[in-house]
Amino acid sequence: MTDLLTLTSGDTLLTLAPEAGGGIAAFHWRGRPVLRDALPGAVEKRDPLSLSAFPLVPYSNRIDRGRFDWGGRRVQLPLNFPPSPHSIHGLGWHKPWAPSGVTQSTARLTYVHVADEWPWDFVATQDFVVQPNGIDWVIAVTNHGATPMPAGLGLHPYFPNPPGTRLITRTEGWWETDAFVMPTAFVADPSTELTDRLHPADHDTDNVFAGFGGDATIEWPDGVSLDIVAGPAARWMVVFAPVGDTITAIEAVTHPTDALNTPGHPGIATLAPGETFALGTSYRLRG
């Protein structure tokens, strides 16, 4: 049985699954799920895609065919999401994390990576602070290798998405994608609301939005709202909403899809040995 950690403060309950990719198994406020509860068997099977949320480190979204060039070397990562021909979601989501500093309302999870196909040692941490009206979630990565390392971060939470759910946020445009969700063309489309993307009629929403200002609000039809405030590094947002489903992923991320193969490496941090890159996000409920 995989051990769970339950943190509480006031009306908020957060359950962590350290061994299941350092993910979240439940996030409730006033007894109501804020995130989808982990599906039956997800924790035992260590299946992050069936959890409430999981971390994205040391990159988010997809890398084309799992390969990129950095510092004069070719990096080839495992293709970890068959039948997709690409690598996805980083490394930490499939690894056990070690808990420390656990109190009633706080915990740290740590993943230590030893260089392999990803040829840099690094240490990733997640710090959780449960508040009476939400949580603070900080993910960070420190380069423990001998040479500069590329790094990107993100959070991948699954939210309830019943009919009538709204998503209020500012974006400047989005990427069209191919059958394997790789970007094909950028569409300039300034918007202050993405509600229509939560309820697609004929094809899944699975897109990266640029110009994310770091603030978003989910309004549910029962009158509860969630305010999301991400740190300044999160200049992109991913929205995933399958046709006919009642779950959506709304992800604050620090770079667009395949940034490691995009000229200029948008959003990718270059970490010198010993340097740390972090992304903090707060989730606050009202209603």
Side-chain angles (χ1 to χ4, degrees):
M1 177 66 180
T2 300
D3 290 337
L4 299 175
L5 294 175
T6 296
L7 312 177
T8 61
S9 178
D11 292 327
T12 306
L13 177 146
L14 181 71
T15 300
L16 305 177
E19 295 179 35
I24 295 174
F27 172 16
H28 290 184
W29 184 65
R30 296 179 178 173
R32 174 199 189 280
V34 178
L35 300 178
R36 172 192 71 184
D37 286 341
L39 301 181
V43 174
E44 290 77 12
K45 295 174 184 176
R46 300 186 180 182
D47 176 12
L49 293 174
S50 297
L51 293 176
S52 307
F54 56 89
L56 307 173
V57 61
Y59 65 89
S60 76
N61 215 299
R62 291 157 176 81
I63 296 176
D64 184 20
R65 291 164 291 173
R67 63 193 188 201
F68 63 94
D69 295 321
W70 191 267
R73 74 171 88 181
R74 167 60 58 96
V75 176
Q76 176 65 64
L77 300 175
L79 305 182
N80 61 355
F81 194 56
S84 171
H86 311 303
S87 297
I88 186 171
H89 291 338
L91 306 176
W93 67 310
H94 281 310
K95 303 295 185 180
W97 295 58
S100 62
V102 179
T103 71
Q104 178 175 321
S105 60
T106 65
R108 166 170 281 196
L109 303 183
T110 301
Y111 164 57
V112 177
H113 177 79
V114 177
D116 50 14
E117 292 92 344
W118 182 272
W120 297 272
D121 296 336
F122 69 81
V123 174
T125 57
Q126 298 179 79
D127 287 292
F128 298 91
V129 179
V130 179
Q131 308 285 358
N133 62 339
I135 66 170
D136 297 320
W137 184 3
V138 179
I139 183 170
V141 60
T142 301
N143 179 12
H144 282 240
T147 61
M149 181 186 92
L153 299 169
L155 307 175
H156 196 301
Y158 292 104
F159 297 98
N161 184 29
T165 302
R166 299 179 65 200
L167 175 57
I168 313 300
T169 190
R170 178 179 63 80
T171 55
E172 298 299 329
W174 53 282
W175 277 269
E176 295 178 335
T177 60
D178 65 16
F180 289 106
V181 202
M182 292 297 289
T184 57
F186 182 73
V187 179
D189 182 21
S191 178
T192 58
E193 184 167 352
L194 297 178
T195 296
D196 61 330
R197 298 305 188 101
L198 297 186
H199 310 287
D202 53 11
H203 62 276
D204 296 349
T205 297
D206 198 350
N207 301 94
V208 177
F209 292 82
F212 174 49
D215 299 82
T217 297
I218 302 172
E219 296 180 350
W220 285 291
D222 63 359
V224 173
S225 295
L226 177 70
D227 296 320
I228 303 169
V229 179
R235 294 181 286 136
W236 291 266
M237 169 185 279
V238 180
V239 179
F240 171 63
V243 172
D245 206 340
T246 56
I247 294 297
T248 180
I250 299 171
E251 311 162 36
V253 297
T254 64
H255 62 84
T257 302
D258 203 30
L260 284 164
N261 289 303
T262 301
H265 305 129
I268 294 293
T270 300
L271 302 184
E275 189 174 4
T276 298
F277 181 48
L279 171 64
T281 305
S282 70
Y283 300 86
R284 293 292 185 272
L285 290 132
R286 51 190 169 86

